[in-house]
Amino acid sequence: MAVHLVNPSHLSFGIGVITPRWLFVLAGATPAAHGQPRITDETLEVFDFDTIRPGDVVGIGIHTGNALRGYEIGRLARERGATVVFGGIHATLYPEEAHELGGAHAVVKGDGDVAWPRVLDDAAGGTLQRIYEAGRVDADQFVPARWDLMPQGRYMWGSVQTVRGCPKHCSFCSVWRTDGQKPRQRRVDAVIGEIVELRRRGFRFIALADDNFYPVALADLAMAERQNNKARLEQLLELRAERFELMEQLAQLPPDMIFFTQITMEAAEDDAFLAAMKRANIKGALVGVEAVTPEGLKDVYKGFNEVGEALVTRLKKFREHGVHVLGSFIFGLPSDRATTFAATADIAERAGVTFAQFVMLTPFPGTLDFAAWEKKLEGDTTHIAGIPITRHWLIPQAQRPKVYTPHPVMSGDEIRERTQAVWDRFYSFRKIWVRAQCVKSLRSRLGFLLLSKLYRHMYANTGIATDSARVSRANQWARLIAKPCRHLFTAAPMPDLPMPAPSRASARYGIRPESAQEA
Ligand code: B12
Ligand code: SF4
């Protein structure tokens, strides 16, 4: 019985930007008794069904965007006699769908780290269950990735998770509901061990694949203090100290290593944290700006963000500490008006964000937005390709609508065209070249240009464009740029790189913020 792990994608670029972490984590969770798992990432190339033998197990991980392709793979694998198992966020939310449409024999709901070996034993012993309630495992049970199984020369960035869960509750996001609001922070040595292994193998760019790298904000500490909740304060300070310890150890790694993460804007108020990020060479962070107006932030329950000049100042603060911001903005919120698009692009430029993504509001299952939207559409009989609109991920990619939520003043097409125009403006050659001044050498600037264009073609055109010629042009561009881009990210392997020594940062940085010290 061979074990296959497949990451579905309807587009294959030959080269991948970031390693899909779940593939290598589940490979790590596969007991040696079941042999070496065979990994296929379809963002590189399509799965070869001829490799399946009857009785093999095919594990497929899906998020909402690739569920349809995942189901196709599941059905075809089952036809060939494989035992098909689904997991991932979408299967967690819709386990029955994977059974009905994806040919699943079993579905794992939640984290696969602990459940996967059990599933394989059950498959081998003929006692497979329909559904495994795997839930959320503790951080010390997170399985490290099997980087030795990574295909050579195909990825630009490795991905290592340091924390799961996010204490916030944004309405468009499912993370706090599926991964929970309690941050499950991994041990520093486990995280560093994986990063050192990746550098030994020649990876110097690492995405810290976290929901929110800043799980304890100063405001949280102040709140625990105000409530005189000593136990909570201690717990938060401990989490915070561990973050500093992690960053101190990252700072000891070779200086050519560069990290990228996702973080909330509140971190801009925390000078000690930003300074530690700088020392750790965390040079980039995706910051969910979402909206530039107070009404927009209210729409998405993100009142902890700033607007207007305060927003510009906060975002600039990251840059002042050497952290480049990938600003993430949402269009199509009920409070958006025609003027919002240009105003957003202006703010993105004035705030000096290095990269930006402008996404259209999409009701993702598991979110508050989705629940409200689904309720609103109760009784609506709109179908596309025979699929109700509330199951939009099952509509074939080319026919999928781009805008789902009826807007009070703009048509769907108007939102889409204006969004596309903002991408075009932000990623014009001239604007990219101006932003490229943030790096010194000509080579680096050319690299910056290529990367900006790659990002734009991989993530923008394909999601927004309705015209299939434009989509296919974007894909060809992305394929073309991906190869030279990857070379910019390679480094000579350092097989003898030692592990950094634990620092005394915990003691040093367990420092309470001023207000907490007085408590
Ligand atoms: C890092 C990350 C990215 C990175 C890297 C992606 C990559 N190549 O890996 C970037 C920034 C590029 C990215 C992009 C996007 N992302 Co993203 N991303 C994440 C993030 C923060 C972490 C993913 C990760 O690596 N986790 C670590 C691994 C180990 O965990 P895991 O994938 O959950 O897998 C575990 C279990 O799910 C389970 N499991 C998974 N698969 C399988 C399979 C089997 C057989 C079994 C048994 C178990 C199992 O076991 C694993 C171990 O416990 C998640 C948030 C999250 N909490 O998942 C969002 C998340 C997956 N992304 C999301 C979204 C929406 C996107 C974008 C569409 C955003 C956008 N608008 O552009 C794009 C889509 C990109 C694409 N085409 O895939 C959503 C998906 C929501 C949904 N319902 O599908 C999430 C959940 C975040 C959110 N805000 O809700 N993303
Ligand atoms: S969008 Fe970011 S801050 Fe908001 S709940 Fe999701 S992970 Fe947390």
Side-chain angles (χ1 to χ4, degrees), residues 166-170 172-173 175-176 211-212 264 290 302 304:
C166 174
K168 306 296 182 201
H169 56 272
C170 305
F172 57 87
C173 176
V175 156
W176 58 282
D211 303 319
N212 177 4
T264 51
E290 328 305 359
K302 206 151 185 169
F304 58 88

Side-chain angles (χ1 to χ4, degrees), residues 18 22 26 63-64 88 112-113 161 164 173-174 179 211 262:
I18 304 179
W22 79 266
L26 277 219
H63 55 81
T64 300
D113 311 58
Q161 195 170 37
R164 254 182 232 177
C173 176
S174 53
D179 276 356
D211 303 319
Q262 316 202 80

Side-chain angles (χ1 to χ4, degrees), residues 28 58 67 86 101 132 165 198 201 205 229 264 271 323 325 351 355 359 366 388 407 425 454 487:
V58 177
F86 276 86
L101 304 176
Y132 289 81
L198 281 163
R201 294 177 181 279
F205 285 84
N229 188 341
T264 51
D271 282 316
V323 180
V325 170
F355 290 91
V359 299
H407 194 272
R425 169 178 160 177
L454 178 70
H487 286 295

Side-chain angles (χ1 to χ4, degrees), residues 345-517:
D346 283 345
I347 290 222
E349 283 165 24
R350 273 197 301 127
V353 307
T354 312
F355 290 91
Q357 61 179 27
F358 306 96
V359 299
M360 285 180 297
L361 183 62
T362 305
F364 273 107
T367 64
L368 294 179
D369 283 350
F370 184 88
W373 176 70
E374 196 179 32
K375 195 151 193 280
K376 210 158 130 193
L377 290 187
E378 244 168 23
D380 185 307
T381 51
T382 312
H383 280 58
I384 299 175
I387 307 289
I389 188 83
T390 49
R391 294 294 174 269
H392 54 79
W393 53 90
L394 299 178
I395 301 170
Q397 196 79 28
Q399 289 160 269
R400 240 173 247 179
K402 308 293 173 189
V403 177
Y404 295 97
T405 328
H407 194 272
V409 296
M410 284 182 282
S411 71
D413 271 345
E414 183 179 354
I415 297 172
R416 189 182 53 75
E417 278 158 22
R418 289 186 184 279
T419 304
Q420 184 88 59
V422 173
W423 276 95
D424 288 342
R425 169 178 160 177
F426 192 84
Y427 288 97
S428 70
F429 272 108
R430 197 176 59 80
K431 299 258 185 210
I432 297 176
W433 195 246
V434 171
R435 286 197 296 276
Q437 308 308 311
C438 66
V439 286
K440 287 199 186 89
S441 68
L442 183 64
R443 184 172 185 269
S444 303
R445 280 184 198 158
L446 288 172
F448 184 92
L449 190 108
L450 276 181
L451 195 64
S452 298
K453 284 289 179 191
L454 178 70
Y455 186 79
R456 193 248 186 285
H457 288 299
M458 268 190 174
Y459 290 104
N461 278 340
T462 48
I464 303 168
T466 44
D467 145 24
S468 62
R470 185 171 178 147
V471 172
S472 113
R473 257 198 327 273
N475 292 341
Q476 280 166 3
W477 255 98
R479 280 184 150 271
L480 205 75
I481 310 173
K483 263 211 166 129
C485 252
R486 206 197 72 80
H487 286 295
L488 297 168
F489 291 88
T490 49
M494 297 176 85
D496 302 321
L497 179 68
M499 284 283 286
S503 81
R504 277 203 241 122
S506 318
R508 223 166 350 123
Y509 290 106
I511 43 155
R512 294 146 187 254
E514 223 103 292
S515 55
Q517 273 170 356

